[in-house]
Amino acid sequence: MQSNPFSLDGMSILVTGASSGIGREVAIWLSRQGARIVAVARDTQRLEETLSQLHGEGHSVEVFDFLGGGDVSAWLKGLSRNGSPFDGLVHAAGVQLPLPIRAMGLDHWETIFATNVTSGFSLIKAFRQKGVCRNPSSIVMLSSVMAQVAQPALIGYCASKGAVESMVRAAALELAREGIRVNAIAPGVIKTEMAQKLEGLVGEDAMAAIERKHPLGLGHPLDVAYAVNYLLSPAARWVTGTSLVVDGGYLAE
């Protein structure tokens, strides 16, 4: 038995959406736990800012646009050849894009699903390739409490996160025989740029009402990073196909 089953020492972890918000905090925290991080996002400057905050050595950044039509499987295969097989994948990249139904076009809907769902499928498919990941390994997808409840103007976001959780369950069953665990984390509202954009749309009073629905108050990116740490670690060796809710009590209402 390990002396510290929550340790990530020596692990190689790919983190998408690492240029800001939850993804950046996840990358920083995992590096503090001894993991070697490959930080992925579209913004080079912001990625370099993340890199400067990582602890330890051996980290790298990769600029990749999941909406750009690139071959995710070939890209990830190349990353594993240049470094070493991955022990974990955290897919934190995503968009909310609030818009009421009357104003939403099909292109808007498809952008949300391409970013939140299709990119996740592409990564799961790429991660399981021979030589890309170790056995055992772990995939963590970022979902949301909006997979189970809803807010006005978030129909696309709610639908996409529901799809993420269904995808996680199906992938977990299929990849268990390959030693790959697949889970999701469903945060409540976290104090990030995304939350600020939501407040700008719904207004200060509505945002205050949303905060009151969280008995423990709004969350911080580190609250999610701690949960990611658990799901990546050997401590979660018997956990797969589930969504871990980290919401300050939001769903208990």
Side-chain angles (χ1 to χ4, degrees):
M1 182 179 294
Q2 290 182 256
S3 58
N4 179 11
F6 299 95
S7 173
L8 305 178
D9 193 38
M11 290 188 180
S12 179
I13 309 292
L14 183 80
V15 181
T16 73
S19 60
S20 63
I22 291 173
R24 172 177 284 178
E25 200 63 54
V26 165
I28 294 169
W29 174 256
L30 299 184
S31 75
R32 293 176 66 96
Q33 308 315 302
R36 181 183 70 85
I37 304 300
V38 177
V40 180
R42 293 181 296 178
D43 190 311
T44 303
Q45 182 177 343
R46 286 190 168 197
L47 271 178
E48 291 296 337
E49 291 172 3
T50 299
L51 182 63
S52 70
Q53 298 179 56
L54 300 182
H55 296 250
E57 299 178 346
H59 310 298
S60 61
V61 298
E62 284 286 329
V63 177
F64 193 86
D65 183 358
F66 291 102
L67 301 184
D71 188 331
V72 178
S73 290
W75 168 69
L76 206 51
K77 191 82 168 179
L79 285 184
S80 62
R81 279 198 300 267
N82 295 334
S84 61
F86 291 102
D87 300 280
L89 161 67
V90 183
H91 187 34
V95 294
Q96 194 173 72
L97 303 181
L99 203 65
I101 293 171
R102 67 178 183 275
M104 180 179 289
L106 188 58
D107 57 341
H108 191 97
W109 176 271
E110 289 177 344
T111 295
I112 294 174
F113 266 75
T115 307
N116 295 352
V117 185
T118 306
S119 63
F121 164 72
S122 296
L123 280 164
I124 290 171
K125 180 178 176 65
F127 188 80
R128 63 153 301 279
Q129 295 176 104
K130 184 177 180 180
V132 172
C133 66
R134 291 194 175 96
N135 184 349
S137 57
S138 173
I139 296 173
V140 180
M141 298 273 142
L142 260 292
S143 179
S144 167
V145 291
M146 292 296 114
Q148 299 185 47
V149 293
Q151 291 285 342
L154 289 179
I155 184 171
Y157 186 69
C158 294
S160 70
K161 292 305 184 179
V164 166
E165 295 197 359
S166 291
M167 178 171 64
V168 160
R169 290 190 292 270
L173 292 179
E174 188 168 337
L175 299 183
R177 62 179 178 269
E178 300 178 32
I180 304 172
R181 295 183 296 106
V182 189
N183 293 288
I185 291 176
V189 178
I190 305 294
K191 293 181 179 179
T192 62
E193 292 176 12
M194 186 180 288
Q196 292 172 354
K197 290 178 182 178
L198 179 62
E199 182 174 356
L201 177 75
V202 303
E204 189 174 328
D205 291 344
M207 197 65 186
I210 291 172
E211 182 168 2
R212 287 193 295 272
K213 291 182 178 180
H214 295 71
L216 297 182
L218 299 184
H220 296 271
L222 257 179
D223 296 317
V224 179
Y226 296 152
V228 170
N229 188 155
Y230 165 65
L231 289 176
L232 290 173
S233 75
R237 59 166 294 278
W238 207 49
V239 179
T240 196
T242 194
S243 182
L244 176 58
V245 175
V246 183
D247 70 347
Y250 184 95
L251 291 181
E253 291 262 340

